[in-house]
Amino acid sequence: MKKLFFVLYMIILGCGHGVMAQSKTTETKASMLKVLRSKLAKGTVEGGTSKKNAEKFADYFTKELSEKLNLEELTIFYKLNTAKPAQIKELEKQAIKMGLKEKMKTLGMACASILQ
């Protein structure tokens, strides 16, 4: 369970020093999910999970993002993970306003055992 919270924390804060370029308005849902999946898998491996389990968890978590977040919520979540540090505070305010923080508490819980 601790690994799950660590992974989610890494996602929300941008996961390490490999921050991607800022989102363009032309980003599609599929491209955003692809970038998020890649960052999640990489961050989970860096957190000590095997590559196989990290990819399995990333696949599941990305699927949940796709199913449970609308496009606006997914866009904010994506921007939080790809933005420059100076932009994070404003994006966090937007995420809190739309209730994204509460939704994120339940995502990935069904497959948390993969990380243990």
Side-chain angles (χ1 to χ4, degrees), residues 1 3 7 10 22 28 34-36 47 54 57 59-60 64 66 70 74 88 95 102 106 112:
M1 194 63 148
K3 281 188 178 183
V7 169
M10 287 175 37
Q22 183 174 344
T28 65
K34 184 178 178 181
V35 169
L36 290 169
F57 180 79
D59 288 339
Y60 185 91
E64 278 200 11
S66 176
N70 64 40
L74 182 61
I88 298 285
E102 291 304 311
T106 60

Side-chain angles (χ1 to χ4, degrees), residues 98-114:
M98 64 177 40
L100 187 57
K101 187 176 180 180
E102 291 304 311
K103 275 189 174 181
M104 294 308 300
K105 288 181 180 178
T106 60
L107 291 176
M109 297 305 257
C111 66
S113 62
I114 294 171

